[in-house]
Amino acid sequence: MTTLTIKRPDDWHLHLRDGDMLKGILPETARHFDRAIIMPNLIPPVVTAKDAAEYRDRIMAAKPDNSDFKPLMTLYLTEQTEIKDLRAAHEIGLITAVKLYPAGATTNSASGVSDFRNVRRQLETMAQIGLPLCVHGEVTDPDIDIFDREAVFIDRILDPIRRELPELKIVMEHITTKQGADYAAAHANTGATITTHHLVINRNHILVGGIKPHYYCLPVAKREEHRLALRKAATSGDPTFFLGTDSAPHIDDLKEHACGCAGCFTATNTMSILAEVFEQDDALDTLEAFASLNGPAFYGLPVNEGTMTLTKGDPVAYPEKITTGAGPVTVFDPQMPLHWRVS
């Protein structure tokens, strides 16, 4: 196969940041994706309907000319989130989901949830009105090894929520373990996003031969057995799994730093990488499901009407960096030739 046409894809987990960074990197997503779930972990975070509306307006103002890209907004769940405001934002179609960050789990998560008992009423309301919960699934206990934090979160936090509120739609975002993939596949009303970079790298890529800051992300990449489990899940065609790039731009000065920021920027070359990965696993026929069909089905949204064609040929040359008004952002390097281009 040298040509593949699929429905236009969506990105079900995306960081656009704000200001000059937003203006610089939004075109990289809008070029290939029709919609994206926008993460709310700005400084300050997007916690109210008013915040979400204002952030959406800034995104729309930064959108490239003649682009039909649509941001799908989220609220940042806190222990003070007002149910009335949450309901109103959902009723007018302003938000598509609510994001749960355990406090301190990742970039700009300090305002997240420390005591999950304090958000029980908000979660009950979301279950009643059909508003999905997107979960950053890691515990933050200092006594839990960073490579075990996703599996422990499933046991300690996610499974009790799942059993108490089985009707709540939950997206396990950017899963990184076999335990995550197995849990999502086994439970109703549970979906899981998988990133581009977690299909490509394991923890050796970060640490062997020197620290590679542009492969450092949270949740951190795990052992090879987990990467292979994610590839099996992504390429399976199972509607549980769909693309959420977690493309997370940071300027190089903050990545290549004594305390470097977590995040891989993959918006630019994701579709080429995915086509390469799915072809390697003899699963090009399931790429459309993963990138274009399963996400809309889970969220109850229509599939995009337009199509995207990928063509196989000589290796594609992507820029090493994207220049923004905030500074340069390094594009994720998959360490393999990419023969599929969006044509």
Side-chain angles (χ1 to χ4, degrees), residues 185 192 194 229-243 278 281-295 297:
I194 301 176
L230 297 180
R231 283 178 70 132
K232 182 178 180 181
T235 60
S236 66
D238 186 331
T240 301
F241 304 106
F242 39 97
L243 174 64
F278 276 63
D281 289 6
D282 295 322
L284 276 173
D285 58 325
T286 66
L287 177 57
E288 183 179 51
F290 179 69
S292 310
L293 305 181
N294 296 348

Side-chain angles (χ1 to χ4, degrees), residues 239-272:
T240 301
F241 304 106
F242 39 97
L243 174 64
T245 66
D246 193 19
S247 183
H250 295 282
I251 62 172
D252 286 351
D253 285 352
L254 295 180
K255 287 290 291 179
E256 301 163 3
H257 191 271
C259 186
C261 295
C264 296
F265 181 70
T266 57
T268 301
N269 55 1
T270 273
M271 293 310 300
S272 288

Side-chain angles (χ1 to χ4, degrees), residues 9-122:
D10 300 303
D11 186 346
W12 299 97
H13 184 125
L14 177 67
H15 296 271
L16 287 177
R17 311 303 189 203
D18 213 345
D20 287 339
M21 179 65 83
L22 165 64
K23 296 173 185 175
I25 60 99
L26 177 56
E28 301 303 302
T29 288
R31 184 178 302 120
H32 293 159
F33 297 92
D34 269 18
R35 297 170 293 197
I37 289 278
I38 309 301
M39 292 297 104
N41 58 330
L42 304 181
I43 301 177
V46 178
V47 297
T48 67
K50 180 175 182 293
D51 296 336
E54 292 175 350
Y55 187 28
R56 180 191 58 188
D57 290 345
R58 296 195 297 275
I59 295 170
M60 296 301 287
K63 193 172 66 169
D65 294 340
N66 302 318
S67 170
D68 293 328
F69 174 76
K70 181 181 179 182
L72 303 176
M73 308 307 295
T74 63
L75 292 185
Y76 186 120
L77 183 65
T78 73
E79 295 174 27
Q80 293 77 40
T81 294
E82 295 184 3
I83 291 177
K84 181 179 179 180
D85 188 64
L86 187 152
R87 279 184 175 273
H90 172 67
E91 288 172 0
I92 64 175
L94 174 62
I95 60 171
T96 302
V98 171
K99 179 62 182 279
L100 188 157
Y101 291 103
T106 188
T107 303
N108 301 340
S109 62
S111 301
V113 176
S114 297
D115 188 338
F116 288 86
R117 293 171 296 182
N118 292 336
V119 294
R120 176 59 188 259
R121 291 178 58 245
Q122 289 90 337

Side-chain angles (χ1 to χ4, degrees), residues 172 179-188 190-192 233 238 240-241:
M172 298 171 62
Q179 292 97 319
D182 290 346
Y183 188 89
H187 290 80
T190 306
D238 186 331
T240 301
F241 304 106

